[in-house]
Amino acid sequence: MLTLSKESRPIVEATLPVVGEHIGAIAERFYQHMFGEHPELLDGLFNRGNQAEGTQQQALAGSVALFASALVHHPEALPHHLLSRIAHKHASLGLRPDQYQVVHDNLLWAVADVLGDAVTPEVAAAWSEVYWVMAFALTQLERGLYSARGVRPEIVYRDWEVTDKVRETDDVVTFRVRRADDRPVRTSLPGQYVSVLVTMPDGTRQPRQYSLTRADDGEHRQFAVKRVRGGEEHGGRPDGEVSTLLHDTVGVGDTLTMSVPFGDVVLDDSGRPLVFCSAGIGITPMAGMLSHLVAAGSHFDVRVLHADRSEATFALRDQVLADVAALPHAQVHLWFEEGVAEDGASGLDADGVHAGLMDLSDLDPPATALPAGAAYHLCGPLPFLRMVRAALLDRGVPPGDIQYEVFGPDLWQADAQAE
Ligand SMILES: Cc1cc2nc3c(=O)[nH]c(=O)nc-3n(C[C@H](O)[C@H](O)[C@H](O)COP(=O)(O)OP(=O)(O)OC[C@H]3O[C@@H](n4cnc5c(N)ncnc54)[C@H](O)[C@@H]3O)c2cc1C
Ligand code: HEM
């Protein structure tokens, strides 16, 4: 069991409230200072979009506060989901154990900078210990992940050749890539993502994660990218840099640098019924899981519940509907915010097509659509995830049966809080 020393524990307990209160400011100062000292970390490792939005700062702050509190109050039950999610993200970026020192030094610098005289040498030593306990837990998990994949951090990425670029909707494009070398293609678990590393026009390399949308065939990988739009309609924010570059400049025959697949939100294959709930581009990991189920000839009971703005924005819909049709015990229910075609003329082969936002009470009868003892997989924007998870909990679904994927740093940490 990972614990704090008997000297540090009371100090961390006594300073938890003050550190917790200022953890957001500490995380902000930490990143500012670290990137000032080590600008190279923004080239090929950190996501500068998340930095600009402040989401990574919040995720780091939340994770350290949660972990420190668990160390003090429940050292026997450290937040496994939280650590696992971070470790998978780190591994997908090829993080090395020796890189933990630089984060330690800058984080402790920021604690002292924000809290001033309150940080005595004893307080600094106690929080340094918190950091190293967390770092130890993460590096152990990361070592296990690399070893299970048969890779080292240095060879997480490799080059792939784009063989197809398929327009799915106005804003979504699928990339199909083929290995460009003789190294074996590591298997992906259904629901996992890859990091794609691209060189931006200013010469800086930027990684982004994309969920795999097809089962493995030993040669190819496939993922779908939604163009992130900026401009006045989106609060004057800039267009997303990597998605725009992939849409506008990467084509068939080009090379893409991509990581081995990682991700802790994977298909529950215990044989229980499966319910997938997605919104918008959140369909991508569900498409990947469905594709794996079809490839495996699965007889599982599967419910696909998907919400989108309209029929025209429903990405991967032909693939998803074909896979549902190919599974002997699968149903699909759809919700379109902008309404549905009159007289059921949409031509969609679904068990139910509803207008508006996803509402589980539209399912008729709900018991059939939400089978008892099911494992739930959710993916979409945070408000959607919150709404669906709350509706499921209201229906008595145990929190441990609900897994969710979020397309950015996890600011919610509902899994960790439920542990
Ligand atoms: C596990 C996981 C799986 C994912 N799977 C998929 C998938 O299957 N398909 C998919 O399309 N996406 C997926 N994503 C999201 C994807 O990784 C990217 O986040 C997405 O493509 C946007 O990247 P971008 O570079 O285009 O946008 P970024 O440039 O990173 O911008 C992101 C946001 O920040 C704003 N921003 C950027 N700079 C500034 C600034 N200076 N000031 C103010 N605002 C700013 C932008 O306007 C935008 O709203 C996934 C993410 C994760 C974590
Ligand atoms: C105890 C130490 C650390 C903690 C607690 C921590 C915590 C986190 C958290 C919470 C996330 C977001 C995960 C998510 O929800 O997707 C993350 C992502 C990340 N971490 Fe760490 N981390 C640690 C060490 C490091 C180190 C040593 C590095 C490298 C120098 C690093 C680099 C990154 C990068 C590049 C990301 C992705 C950032 C993004 O996508 O914006 N981390 N980490």
Side-chain angles (χ1 to χ4, degrees):
M1 184 169 81
L2 293 173
T3 46
L4 287 170
S5 63
K6 63 178 190 323
E7 291 77 26
S8 294
R9 197 184 167 283
I11 301 178
V12 173
E13 186 166 18
T15 48
L16 251 181
V18 63
V19 172
E21 191 188 327
H22 294 93
I23 191 77
I26 292 170
E28 245 184 86
R29 288 293 281 149
F30 153 67
Y31 279 114
Q32 259 171 14
H33 191 253
M34 185 170 75
F35 293 137
E37 301 277 305
H38 295 279
E40 73 281 2
L41 292 174
L42 278 170
D43 183 8
L45 186 59
F46 278 91
N47 172 330
R48 61 187 180 187
N50 290 342
Q51 289 296 322
E53 287 215 294
T55 46
Q56 177 56 26
Q57 291 88 322
Q58 289 175 48
L60 178 88
S63 74
V64 173
L66 216 138
F67 187 83
S69 159
L71 262 184
V72 168
H73 301 299
H74 308 286
E76 73 294 346
L78 294 178
H80 174 74
H81 277 296
L82 173 80
L83 294 170
S84 171
R85 178 175 167 96
I86 301 172
H88 276 271
K89 181 70 78 66
H90 282 169
S92 83
L93 296 160
L95 206 71
R96 302 185 314 269
D98 62 276
Q99 289 175 300
Y100 276 80
Q101 187 69 49
V102 80
V103 166
H104 168 271
D105 297 350
N106 286 279
L107 197 55
L108 267 287
W109 175 90
V111 171
D113 188 59
V114 171
L115 300 183
D117 292 344
V119 186
T120 61
E122 293 73 27
V123 170
W127 279 91
S128 173
E129 201 178 316
V130 170
Y131 176 87
W132 284 118
V133 173
M134 196 168 184
F136 178 77
L138 287 170
T139 46
Q140 289 289 95
L141 288 173
E142 287 152 20
R143 189 167 294 128
L145 292 175
Y146 291 132
S147 132
R149 286 274 176 258
V151 292
R152 302 185 305 280
E154 299 75 21
I155 56 165
V156 155
Y157 285 111
R158 65 198 272 193
D159 286 346
W160 298 73
E161 183 195 339
V162 178
T163 58
D164 302 270
K165 182 178 181 183
V166 182
R167 175 150 301 282
E168 303 282 356
T169 66
D170 280 355
D171 279 348
V172 179
V173 161
T174 282
F175 289 91
R176 185 169 161 80
V177 299
R178 181 172 56 209
R179 65 176 171 160
D181 54 35
D182 294 332
R183 287 165 55 190
V185 173
R186 299 293 171 189
T187 50
S188 67
L189 297 177
Q192 289 194 311
Y193 58 80
V194 290
S195 287
V196 174
L197 186 63
V198 297
T199 305
M200 302 312 299
D202 67 358
T204 306
R205 288 165 310 151
Q206 279 289 287
R208 296 291 184 269
Q209 288 70 41
Y210 294 102
S211 306
L212 295 173
T213 54
R214 283 274 189 196
D216 300 324
D217 67 359
E219 190 79 17
H220 298 90
R221 298 226 192 273
Q222 200 162 307
F223 57 93
V225 179
K226 178 175 177 183
R227 182 194 280 279
V228 172
R229 293 188 186 273
E232 273 180 26
E233 271 176 60
H234 300 92
R237 300 196 303 181
D239 290 341
E241 60 172 342
V242 172
S243 60
T244 303
L245 183 127
L246 289 171
H247 270 250
D248 292 349
T249 67
V250 175
V252 173
D254 288 341
T255 297
L256 272 181
T257 302
M258 228 170 75
S259 77
V260 169
F262 287 101
D264 61 330
V265 182
V266 297
L267 190 74
D268 179 310
D269 69 352
S270 59
R272 293 198 284 168
L274 295 165
V275 181
F276 300 148
C277 304
S278 53
I281 192 64
I283 190 68
T284 52
M286 312 302 173
M289 291 193 265
L290 281 168
S291 174
H292 277 263
L293 288 168
V294 171
S298 168
H299 282 67
F300 287 1
D301 198 348
V302 181
R303 302 287 182 269
V304 178
L305 315 183
H306 178 72
D308 226 301
R309 192 145 47 80
S310 70
E311 222 180 293
T313 62
F314 177 9
L316 307 177
R317 83 174 206 188
D318 292 349
Q319 174 184 328
V320 166
L321 295 179
D323 281 352
V324 167
L327 291 168
H329 303 294
Q331 287 182 11
V332 60
H333 297 265
L334 302 168
W335 283 260
F336 295 119
E337 210 176 323
E338 292 177 0
V340 291
E342 296 277 310
D343 308 327
S346 70
L348 285 169
D349 186 12
D351 297 279
V353 184
H354 313 274
L357 300 176
M358 184 181 289
D359 180 350
L360 300 183
S361 57
D362 288 339
L363 297 172
D364 189 28
T368 324
L370 300 177
Y376 290 83
H377 294 272
L378 278 46
C379 187
L382 266 187
F384 169 84
L385 295 176
R386 284 204 169 92
M387 184 276 287
V388 175
R389 190 167 181 275
L392 293 173
L393 295 179
D394 270 357
R395 271 153 220 264
V397 175
D401 288 349
I402 310 172
Q403 293 198 75
Y404 66 92
E405 185 62 275
V406 41
F407 282 179
D410 183 6
L411 305 182
W412 190 21
Q413 294 170 347
D415 279 346
Q417 282 154 22
E419 273 182 304

